[in-house]
Amino acid sequence: MLFEQLCIGIDLGADSIKVAHLAKKRNTKTIKSLYEIENPIGKIAFGIPEEKEAIRQCFAKINKIFPSKSAVIGISSKHVIFRHVKFPLLKKRELDEAIFWEIQEFSAMFNGEFISDYELLDNRNNIYHVILAAMPKDIAVDYTEIAVNAGLHLKALDVYPLANARVLETQKRHCVTAIIDLNSSHSEITMVDNGKIIFNRCLDFFDINKIDDELCKIIKTDSSWFDNIRTGFDFLPLPYQNIILEISRTFEFYSLQSKDRQINEIMLIGKGGESRYCKDILRSYFNLEVYTGREIKLDFINENVKPNGDYVDYISAIGFALRG
């Protein structure tokens, strides 16, 4: 008799901690539960023992509610440096050695000790595409110690771009998707081609909810604002102008690197997905289909699961659980 293998993915955010509880059986994966609790310290890095203990208690509560043999916790991209590298076809020993020397480049980017890992994304046209990631050792040690002391069976520390791409891969979307994660403390854009991450870039700070009221006043006095965006966006609040410029530069860079391959759609997640206007602004300016949390359907979530909010709020936690 085959038993279910239970895994949990933990998305540790500054405002809340989100959990996805996933069951694996044969080739089937099912999200059994989605859960959220408040982050008691409002931080994702821990400077004093009291903060570590508060997070440990949260993890212990999660472990009690969702016992499992595999837990994966995300490390915020603000603490991680990524590099994308390509290699010709090599034997495993040769590939490992080539990756080792590429990882040494991280030493110039950190003041102290760091830890690193890599993931082989795919093999296209006889070229290995690999993503390298590195983070300060003290942050990794803090996360690991807190998880172990809470009783979690920690399998891995993962990164958000890979987790988000992993969810798209389950949906077999055969196109290029720009996942734009807009949050008040950290924002990033991840380019995903056929479910595989191919590019990631951190974006400038962008607190979208604070400027919606200002934008509302502009829109009420200009009924043709949608058409105006296509020809120029100087009338928008400065944060919106900046984010459009940042996304435009990212799209242009990706197009150059991928030999003019074009982006097909935008997936808008994070607090930006809750904005009344962000979706319409991006869709009007870039002339692309833009999806938000209320429109994304994940076919492997148990029909009895009723999360507080949209499924997309848990996309990273689900992606972490898929690795478990």
Side-chain angles (χ1 to χ4, degrees), residues 10 31 33 49 57 85-86 95 97 104 135 143 159 178 182 186 198-200 209 215 220 246 257 266 297 309-310:
I10 300 177
I31 293 296
S33 299
Q57 291 180 18
V85 293
K86 301 177 183 179
L95 180 62
E97 184 176 355
Q104 304 315 302
M135 69 188 73
Y143 274 60
V159 292
L182 297 177
H186 179 76
I198 51 178
F199 181 75
N200 174 264
N209 296 310
L215 182 59
K220 285 181 178 179
E246 292 280 353
Q257 293 293 310
I266 293 173
K297 304 298 181 184
D310 296 316

Side-chain angles (χ1 to χ4, degrees), residues 33-250:
S33 299
L34 297 172
Y35 177 72
E36 180 179 16
I37 58 174
E38 181 183 3
N39 183 331
I41 65 173
K43 298 165 62 176
I44 57 175
F46 326 113
I48 57 177
E50 290 79 5
E51 294 174 344
K52 296 180 182 180
E53 175 58 20
I55 298 299
R56 188 203 65 79
Q57 291 180 18
C58 290
F59 284 0
K61 181 178 180 180
I62 292 168
N63 188 45
K64 184 177 181 180
I65 298 173
F66 305 111
S68 71
K69 294 297 183 181
S70 180
V72 177
I73 302 175
I75 298 286
S76 171
S77 296
K78 70 188 298 182
H79 298 304
V80 183
I81 295 177
F82 299 100
R83 291 187 62 214
H84 293 77
V85 293
K86 301 177 183 179
F87 302 103
L89 286 180
L90 298 169
K91 295 179 180 179
K92 185 180 186 307
R93 182 176 179 181
E94 295 172 330
L95 180 62
D96 289 343
E97 184 176 355
I99 290 174
F100 170 81
W101 288 112
E102 288 291 341
I103 285 176
Q104 304 315 302
E105 298 293 328
F106 284 123
S107 60
M109 305 175 190
F110 291 94
N111 293 326
E113 291 185 276
F114 68 92
I115 65 169
S116 60
D117 199 359
Y118 73 91
E119 183 162 325
L120 180 61
L121 301 177
D122 60 17
N123 172 10
R124 299 193 303 267
N125 300 322
N126 292 325
I127 297 293
Y128 286 124
H129 295 256
V130 179
I131 183 171
L132 310 177
M135 69 188 73
K137 183 178 179 179
D138 57 347
I139 291 179
V141 169
D142 283 345
Y143 274 60
T144 301
E145 289 182 346
I146 292 171
V148 171
N149 291 337
L152 291 173
H153 296 273
L154 185 64
K155 177 178 180 178
L157 298 176
D158 203 0
V159 292
Y160 284 77
L162 286 175
N164 297 337
R166 206 173 286 130
V167 175
L168 277 188
E169 188 175 19
T170 67
Q171 302 305 292
K172 297 179 172 60
R173 300 178 79 92
H174 303 292
C175 60
V176 179
T177 303
I179 303 176
I180 302 178
D181 188 354
L182 297 177
N183 281 295
S184 58
S185 60
H186 179 76
S187 299
E188 64 185 327
I189 179 169
T190 304
M191 310 301 298
V192 178
D193 187 350
N194 196 24
K196 301 294 184 180
I197 177 175
I198 51 178
F199 181 75
N200 174 264
R201 181 188 174 201
C202 294
L203 301 174
D204 288 340
F205 179 87
F206 182 65
D207 194 344
I208 196 169
N209 296 310
K210 290 184 178 180
I211 59 174
D212 263 358
D213 291 339
E214 180 183 350
L215 182 59
C216 183
K217 296 176 183 178
I218 296 173
I219 292 173
K220 285 181 178 179
T221 60
D222 186 359
S223 60
S224 61
W225 69 281
F226 275 116
D227 294 329
N228 291 341
I229 289 176
R230 294 186 177 92
T231 57
F233 48 83
D234 291 347
F235 68 96
L236 292 175
L238 187 59
Y240 267 110
Q241 294 183 40
N242 290 338
I243 202 66
I244 288 175
L245 286 173
E246 292 280 353
I247 295 172
S248 296
R249 291 174 184 139
T250 303

Side-chain angles (χ1 to χ4, degrees), residues 249-266:
R249 291 174 184 139
T250 303
F251 283 5
E252 290 170 3
F253 179 80
Y254 164 75
S255 183
L256 290 172
Q257 293 293 310
S258 59
K259 299 181 180 179
D260 295 326
R261 185 160 166 73
Q262 300 300 309
I263 295 93
N264 302 112
E265 61 183 16
I266 293 173

Side-chain angles (χ1 to χ4, degrees), residues 267-269 291-298 311-312 315:
M267 180 182 291
L268 189 61
I269 64 176
Y291 299 93
T292 62
R294 294 172 178 84
E295 300 163 304
I296 298 172
K297 304 298 181 184
L298 301 178
Y311 292 126
V312 77
I315 187 172

Side-chain angles (χ1 to χ4, degrees), residues 5-49:
Q5 177 186 350
L6 300 177
C7 317
I8 57 172
I10 300 177
D11 172 7
L12 176 56
D15 298 322
S16 65
I17 303 172
K18 296 182 176 68
V19 182
H21 190 216
L22 180 142
K24 295 180 180 180
K25 188 175 182 179
R26 293 183 176 175
N27 295 322
T28 302
K29 299 176 181 179
T30 305
I31 293 296
K32 298 173 69 70
S33 299
L34 297 172
Y35 177 72
E36 180 179 16
I37 58 174
E38 181 183 3
N39 183 331
I41 65 173
K43 298 165 62 176
I44 57 175
F46 326 113
I48 57 177

